[in-house]
Amino acid sequence: MPSTAEPFIRARNLTKRFANFTAVDSVSFDVQPGEAFGFLGPNGAGKTSTMRMIGCASPVTEGELHVIGMNPRTEASRIKARLGVVPQQDNLDAEITVRENLLMYARYFDIPGPIARRRADELLEFVQLSERANAEVESLSGGMKRRLTIARALINEPEVILLDEPTTGLDPQARHVIWERLYRLKRRGATLLLTTHYMDEAEQLCDRLVVMDKAKIVAEGSPRQLIEQYSTREVLELRFSDEVRAQLDGRLSGLADRIEMLPDRTLLYTGDGERTLEQVHTRNIPLESALVRRSTLEDVFLRLTGRTLVE
Amino acid sequence: MIGAIRMVQRNALVYRRAWRGSVFFSFLQPTLFLIAMGVGVGRLVNRGDASLPAGVDFLDFLAPGLLAAACMQTASFESSWPISGKMTWQRTYEAITATPMRIRDLVFGELAWMAVRLSTVAIAFTAIITLFGVPRSPLVILAVPAAVLTGLAFSAPIIAYAATRKRDHFNGLFRFIITPLFLFSGVFFPIARLPEPLQTVAWFTPLFHGVELVRGLTLNTLESPAWLIHAAYLVSLTVIGIGASLWAFRRRLHA
């Protein structure tokens, strides 16, 4: 992470208010060139509103925002020329073909025809849609549409790519294909900004992220740092029958750094899950199931807000 | 305005596939009306004292009215569902505004495209009525831009309306505005034949001014300052509609 460089995106007390609610409440962050930066949080946390302000699609209510050194209020078109945007909901042009979507989009950027055609073919190759170049957009699967949307966002060779929940609603296979492509972009040095409510997505792709909840940033760091700071190394997940659960009070105390009782399972935060599990057994507490796993950002989020990410 | 041209290019690309469907609506339908009403009904009308202005045949009276009305209908149709589709369902405008294209590029581009579409309708229909021997003067050439202006005076405000709709609410527009205008704005009979209070209402409708202008240029019956009033009315409505469209697009796309 080149921390000496001028940040690509700089937000200070950035605020977005609509008529009757505050979507983003005085958030500050920096994104460095070449970084993959994530906004993690549940629906309604203010991630999309933040992205829309960065993409110059929504005016800043208050605070300071600089995107590639420019002010969205006065230089929106110049900023947009250097951004690639993958919105939460696909907005491909359904009335023209796959390849025409890329060529037409290139025109909006004033990219000359021969260059646009070359890039369109390269990008279709990159997102593995060359065979569908002349297909109608409607005939594509959800994963293909997402890939085409990503290809379209790359047509102007953007310096910053904004991805708003790039894999929400896709099946696991389609998600992995997208992650793999985004990972390649990252290795080529692209600056990625993405929002997600999947912790595995954030852990896989983000160098650094902020956790948002109720319009505010509640934590910031690399996935590893956040887990170290807000969670233990491992988590023991236990399930009990309803009767056992009802009479559990106090029987688990002292076994873990922290215990979280969720409706369906009980989480014990501990440095060594196997040892804690042995201790549970020696206390003769009957279990339905037990699972030892590493801590994830989900645990961080639960610790910070008392709620799970996907509700 | 290079951005507006991009929008025209996009619509032309789509239209290349969809043009067949629109030929009936914008072109064959008025031609059928012209034959059925102009030639068929016209025989009956011309037998009696129809007291049409300038003593023209019913066919000659009707044809320029249908030209203006065809432009109104094409403009209204193309400015309602397709615009709200691109705004709400397909989110095409959202996609385009993520590029350096500006909101005014979208609005002026849509109107420029509409002008192109209306020109094809007006030129083709003018050619047909020329075959029927309707025009009385070379001024009929100017009936084409006059008919296009009539269409734009509908298109601009309807684009603004369509951009504010989250669902399509256009059936009411066609049932209660476009169809009554078609029937009572002087296309089929002079508005002087309407009862007194309705004449005033008819005078204030945009189609009346479009019909008068197009008819005057086709039959060479224009008198100044009347034509100036007609043109000024249509231009004003277009300008107001453009302002409203810019406002409506900003509210939806830059909130």
Side-chain angles (χ1 to χ4, degrees):
Chain A
M1 191 202 324
S3 56
T4 47
E6 176 79 0
F8 245 28
I9 294 165
R10 178 187 155 89
R12 290 292 175 273
N13 305 317
L14 183 62
T15 299
K16 178 75 202 181
R17 269 192 295 272
F18 293 102
N20 45 11
F21 76 106
T22 303
V24 180
D25 191 1
S26 193
V27 305
S28 301
F29 57 87
D30 285 332
V31 181
Q32 308 296 337
E35 203 174 15
F37 188 87
F39 296 87
L40 181 73
N43 291 330
K47 310 183 301 281
T48 297
S49 293
T50 305
M51 287 289 244
R52 284 174 48 82
M53 285 191 279
I54 296 169
C56 311
S58 174
V60 172
T61 311
E62 236 172 70
E64 184 195 322
L65 178 65
H66 283 277
V67 183
I68 324 181
M70 291 179 277
N71 183 347
R73 207 186 303 272
T74 51
E75 295 171 284
S77 281
R78 289 182 57 206
I79 293 173
K80 288 175 183 178
R82 295 162 71 178
L83 293 184
V85 179
V86 177
Q88 200 173 113
Q89 251 180 299
D90 283 320
N91 55 18
L92 294 163
D93 201 329
E95 297 179 270
I96 55 182
T97 67
V98 167
R99 189 160 183 272
E100 284 170 344
N101 260 276
L102 299 182
L103 295 177
M104 199 59 236
Y105 219 63
R107 285 202 171 146
Y108 301 140
F109 285 98
D110 265 327
I111 298 167
I115 296 176
R117 283 190 285 278
R118 181 173 53 73
R119 282 192 200 162
D121 292 335
E122 284 168 9
L123 286 169
L124 287 175
E125 193 70 40
F126 177 68
V127 297
Q128 297 163 298
L129 283 173
S130 299
E131 267 123 69
R132 308 302 295 268
N134 297 314
E136 297 291 323
V137 168
E138 278 313 309
S139 72
L140 301 184
S141 70
M144 288 174 174
K145 283 185 186 162
R146 269 301 59 190
R147 269 142 58 197
L148 180 57
T149 306
I150 291 171
R152 191 184 66 176
L154 299 174
I155 196 83
N156 58 324
E157 301 191 324
E159 288 154 76
V160 181
I161 305 157
L162 310 179
L163 302 125
D164 195 359
E165 298 191 8
T167 66
T168 297
L170 298 184
D171 61 54
Q173 268 173 315
R175 294 179 70 197
H176 279 283
V177 175
I178 304 251
W179 284 348
E180 193 260 327
R181 295 294 122 168
L182 294 179
Y183 190 71
R184 281 200 201 190
L185 286 176
K186 194 178 136 178
R187 279 216 317 232
R188 287 187 199 167
T191 304
L192 302 182
L193 257 76
L194 67 117
T195 74
T196 183
H197 53 226
Y198 296 123
M199 31 284 143
D200 47 352
E201 187 158 281
E203 287 185 38
Q204 287 231 8
L205 293 172
C206 297
D207 301 315
R208 217 153 52 83
L209 56 95
V210 291
V211 179
M212 285 188 85
D213 187 43
K214 293 177 186 150
K216 287 183 182 289
I217 290 178
V218 292
E220 178 177 353
S222 71
R224 202 93 304 271
Q225 285 170 341
L226 287 170
I227 290 166
E228 275 166 21
Q229 193 175 345
Y230 294 100
S231 191
T232 51
R233 206 170 70 86
E234 291 189 336
V235 184
L236 173 60
E237 289 197 10
L238 301 176
R239 285 173 205 265
F240 305 103
S241 65
D242 287 347
E243 304 88 74
V244 174
R245 202 181 145 84
Q247 302 160 8
L248 206 57
D249 52 341
R251 291 180 74 188
L252 293 171
S253 62
L255 287 181
D257 295 5
R258 199 160 55 82
I259 297 176
E260 198 80 58
M261 304 285 277
L262 299 181
D264 58 333
R265 66 215 141 106
T266 302
L267 307 182
L268 281 71
Y269 290 93
T270 168
D272 184 342
E274 290 297 341
R275 251 198 63 209
T276 309
L277 180 57
E278 275 169 35
Q279 289 169 333
V280 173
H281 285 311
T282 52
R283 290 192 186 185
N284 276 326
I285 306 169
L287 301 174
E288 279 195 338
S289 71
L291 168 75
V292 176
R293 61 167 174 82
R294 295 172 67 89
S295 266
T296 68
L297 288 170
E298 169 92 55
D299 301 306
V300 172
F301 189 77
L302 194 61
R303 168 77 188 276
L304 289 169
T305 69
R307 290 175 298 122
T308 52
L309 268 165
V310 185
E311 283 168 336
Chain B
M1 287 199 87
I2 196 86
I5 295 169
R6 301 286 176 236
M7 195 69 227
V8 171
Q9 287 176 322
R10 183 263 169 206
N11 288 341
L13 190 61
V14 174
Y15 191 65
R16 238 176 30 185
R17 292 220 189 93
W19 65 273
R20 284 179 195 85
S22 71
V23 166
F24 175 80
F25 188 75
S26 359
F27 180 64
L28 282 181
Q29 182 173 300
T31 307
L32 292 177
F33 261 101
L34 184 68
I35 294 167
M37 310 288 288
V39 180
V41 179
R43 283 226 175 97
L44 306 175
V45 174
N46 292 335
R47 226 173 268 168
D49 172 23
S51 60
L52 295 172
V56 297
D57 278 357
F58 184 64
L59 176 77
D60 298 352
F61 175 82
L62 177 68
L66 283 175
L67 170 55
C71 282
M72 168 188 79
Q73 283 173 316
T74 298
S76 306
F77 188 82
E78 297 289 334
S79 308
S80 50
W81 284 283
I83 298 291
S84 96
K86 282 181 260 188
M87 184 65 81
T88 303
W89 302 116
Q90 300 191 27
R91 308 166 81 92
T92 313
Y93 295 136
E94 179 193 72
I96 298 174
T97 48
T99 74
M101 294 270 289
R102 294 156 305 181
I103 281 169
R104 59 174 179 272
D105 297 328
L106 302 183
V107 170
F108 286 107
E110 290 292 5
L111 277 166
W113 168 247
M114 202 64 63
V116 171
R117 286 274 287 112
L118 293 170
S119 300
T120 61
V121 171
I123 289 168
F125 198 69
T126 303
I128 298 230
I129 67 174
T130 305
L131 286 179
F132 279 88
V134 173
R136 299 284 167 87
S137 136
L139 276 180
V140 71
I141 299 276
L142 293 177
V144 171
V148 172
L149 176 62
T150 307
L152 291 179
F154 281 89
S155 178
I158 293 173
I159 286 176
Y161 175 74
T164 60
R165 298 292 96 186
K166 298 235 160 119
R167 288 153 176 260
D168 49 53
H169 285 287
F170 302 116
N171 288 328
L173 170 73
F174 284 88
R175 258 177 231 155
F176 301 116
I177 297 181
I178 302 302
T179 302
L181 287 190
F182 179 57
L183 295 172
F184 299 107
S185 296
V187 175
F188 296 99
F189 56 89
I191 64 165
R193 285 293 163 116
L194 288 167
E196 192 68 58
L198 285 182
Q199 281 185 36
T200 316
V201 176
W203 194 93
F204 279 101
T205 66
L207 184 59
F208 166 74
H209 295 278
V211 169
E212 286 296 303
L213 199 55
V214 173
R215 184 175 284 142
L217 288 163
T218 310
L219 303 179
N220 199 12
T221 54
L222 269 193
E223 288 163 26
S224 65
W227 74 268
L228 261 173
I229 293 172
H230 300 317
Y233 183 105
L234 297 171
V235 169
S236 309
L237 195 54
T238 308
V239 170
I240 292 167
I242 291 172
S245 297
L246 288 169
W247 175 82
F249 270 59
R250 282 214 175 91
R251 215 177 59 140
R252 284 297 290 279
L253 296 167
H254 194 69

